[in-house]
Amino acid sequence: MRAFALITLLLAGCAGQQSAMHVAGDQAATLISLFRLMMWVCGIAYLLVILFLGWGLIRRRSAADTSEQPYHKLMAGWVGFILLGLILLVVASFLADRSLGQRQQVPLQVRVTGHQWWWRIEYQAGNGRWIETANELHLPAGVPVLLELRAADVIHSFWVPNLAGKMDMIPGKINRMTVTGRTNGWFRGQCAEFCGTQHANMALAVKVEQVGEFDRWLAGQARPVSPGEGVAAGRKVFESASCAVCHQVRGTEARGRVGPDLTHVASRRTIAAGTAPMTHGSLRGWIIQPQAIKPGTSMPPSDLSPQDAEAVASYLETLR
């Protein structure tokens, strides 16, 4: 268990930044500007309070003029500053909210559905087609992307602090937000609403990449598995066992929709929404006993023999 915890910590560290202070998108830039303005206004107000407190203590101990006239002027100035600061913050908050809520024509639409405890991601590919993947969100740099946020079971919350603010994902309701990534790289997202025992292990890896690179990635994700691809023995076991009931591998007989789409599962960096690295050992362990890796997950323990589990893990490693 110590080794697994260490791997998880190392994985979290290399999954990308997760900080609202390191801005990588337009929406995050709007939020950090508002945050800095609030810090300046509140910081100046706090500093003035401390200065006036010190000045009042000094005046109280001195034998100086006790006239209340200076206090009346100071009080009027203090009230004026507070009103000015509040008006400034209200206007800035209103403008930021309008900017974040503005709807615009976007070339790309993505559905993100929160499950306990993983992310279903679907990309609009034209002609009514949607390309499905899981737990990794790819975004073209400089292109506004409309995210449709849904929840399949309980309330979740979508949050990638480097790119945008939080938005709840509520069963039976579709919330929408626009995200425009500017800085290339990997960033870590997280469910920000407690959604069960494995809430902390519901991570989302987000990659912002150049438009051409994104287009090539999306074209690869749209490609189904060819008949001769993969390890034949493992594929046969996968399609005949309960795996095919819950999971889909496009181009095969596996057409389940309960769990994540596994068509290109080996191209992802992790399994189980960031819980374990994408390695042969992790795949094999997840197939045999997922409850040992992520207790409470919907995936039940496998009744496959060790040989069949090894074959399925080898097969999944070929799905890139």
Side-chain angles (χ1 to χ4, degrees), residues 1-300:
M1 290 301 294
R2 289 183 178 179
F4 180 76
L6 179 61
I7 291 174
T8 302
L9 289 174
L10 291 175
L11 180 63
C14 67
Q17 294 185 20
Q18 185 180 18
S19 170
M21 306 303 293
H22 294 86
V23 174
D26 290 357
Q27 290 70 29
T30 299
L31 292 173
I32 198 67
S33 297
L34 180 62
F35 172 77
R36 286 170 178 163
L37 176 62
M38 289 185 171
M39 289 295 293
W40 274 107
V41 172
C42 295
I44 292 173
Y46 178 75
L47 179 61
L48 289 175
V49 167
I50 297 300
L51 290 176
F52 288 156
L53 177 62
W55 180 71
L57 291 175
I58 293 173
R59 291 272 303 181
R60 183 178 179 183
R61 293 187 177 185
S62 69
D65 181 21
T66 59
S67 172
E68 295 185 0
Q69 188 66 24
Y71 295 100
H72 293 161
K73 294 181 179 179
L74 284 174
M75 182 62 69
W78 182 241
V79 171
F81 173 79
I82 292 176
L83 289 176
L84 180 63
L86 290 177
I87 291 172
L88 180 62
L89 292 181
V90 167
V91 171
S93 298
F94 174 77
L95 294 177
D97 185 67
R98 286 291 299 270
S99 175
L100 294 174
Q102 186 177 13
R103 291 288 174 259
Q104 54 183 312
Q105 293 294 328
V106 294
L108 179 63
Q109 185 173 334
V110 180
R111 293 174 182 166
V112 182
T113 305
H115 295 256
Q116 288 181 306
W117 293 275
W118 60 281
W119 308 86
R120 187 190 302 274
I121 303 172
E122 300 167 276
Y123 296 84
Q124 188 180 37
N127 300 322
R129 294 192 310 119
W130 291 83
I131 300 169
E132 183 175 326
T133 180
N135 299 324
E136 283 189 7
L137 176 62
H138 287 241
L139 300 173
V143 178
V145 178
L146 179 64
L147 301 181
E148 285 192 358
L149 305 178
R150 311 158 185 250
D153 33 49
V154 300
I155 295 177
H156 300 278
S157 185
F158 179 89
W159 187 38
V160 186
N162 300 81
L163 301 177
K166 302 175 185 176
M167 182 166 286
D168 282 348
M169 310 166 81
I170 303 171
K173 179 179 176 60
I174 300 176
N175 286 333
R176 294 176 175 86
M177 69 185 302
T178 302
V179 174
T180 308
R182 292 291 178 183
T183 304
N184 292 351
W186 284 96
F187 305 97
R188 179 184 169 91
Q190 183 70 41
C191 177
E193 181 79 25
F194 182 74
C195 55
T197 57
Q198 290 297 318
H199 161 71
N201 288 324
M202 188 174 169
L204 176 67
V206 182
K207 185 178 185 182
V208 179
E209 54 198 350
Q210 292 301 317
V211 175
E213 186 180 352
F214 171 80
D215 290 340
R216 288 189 293 273
W217 173 84
L218 190 60
Q221 293 294 308
R223 180 178 59 86
V225 175
S226 62
E229 190 175 354
V231 181
R235 174 173 173 172
K236 183 177 180 181
V237 174
F238 183 90
E239 293 181 0
S240 61
S242 57
C243 309
V245 176
C246 295
H247 297 284
Q248 175 178 223
V249 177
R250 282 176 274 118
T252 73
E253 296 301 316
R255 298 171 184 171
R257 293 283 297 163
V258 177
D261 186 300
L262 301 181
T263 305
H264 299 286
V265 62
S267 67
R268 301 168 196 162
R269 305 177 72 184
T270 67
I271 62 173
T275 306
M278 179 59 69
T279 65
H280 181 84
S282 295
L283 282 171
R284 189 174 183 274
W286 182 255
I287 292 167
I288 294 174
Q289 182 50 275
Q291 300 297 324
I293 298 176
K294 199 168 188 175
T297 183
S298 298
M299 183 169 169

